[in-house]
Amino acid sequence: MKLRIESVEDIGTLVRLTRKAQGLRQDDLGAMAGCSHKYVVDVEKGKPTIQTGLLLALLEELGIEVTVDLPGDAVDVLKQKLLSQDTAIPNHRREKWLSQIER
């Protein structure tokens, strides 16, 4: 199910609901994702200064997929950069992103 996220609190709410639905305790989820129990608490409370890399690991551990919806003009620029082999785009993402754009 796709939901529009409008705040850090939205992410926290969804993390808490998903964690509970999976029968996980905060400390267990933290250990699984490589972060502390306190970090999980901060995420679930919607703390605005949480570390993004850890958040992505936590979401992945819960099976929550993160996507972005780029506006058309940004898609055009991204496609140009992908095709031009621009070094700003990581090589390991190039083919995957290009195939997603061309769908």
Side-chain angles (χ1 to χ4, degrees):
M1 172 206 265
K2 293 183 181 182
L3 297 172
R4 182 178 175 91
I5 300 300
E6 297 180 1
S7 69
V8 179
E9 291 84 9
D10 290 351
I11 294 171
T13 298
L14 296 173
V15 165
R16 182 175 50 258
L17 291 172
T18 303
R19 175 184 59 77
K20 287 185 174 190
Q22 294 178 8
L24 295 171
R25 297 182 330 190
Q26 290 172 326
D27 57 338
D28 292 334
L29 175 58
M32 292 165 57
C35 60
S36 69
H37 167 260
K38 169 97 170 78
Y39 181 81
V40 176
V41 170
D42 288 346
V43 169
E44 290 186 0
K45 285 184 176 181
K47 183 177 177 182
T49 57
I50 56 174
Q51 186 179 352
T52 307
L54 283 178
L55 176 61
L56 292 174
L58 192 71
L59 294 174
E60 182 178 0
E61 195 62 48
L62 288 169
I64 298 174
E65 183 178 299
V66 178
T67 61
V68 296
D69 189 7
L70 297 175
D73 54 347
V75 172
D76 295 340
V77 170
L78 176 59
K79 186 173 182 178
Q80 288 175 343
K81 297 220 178 259
L82 289 167
L83 293 172
S84 72
Q85 303 294 310
D86 188 300
T87 58
I89 308 294
N91 284 331
H92 67 283
R93 297 283 183 229
R94 190 173 306 281
E95 285 185 36
K96 186 173 186 177
W97 285 353
L98 194 54
S99 70
Q100 291 175 1
I101 288 172
E102 292 177 344
R103 283 188 203 159

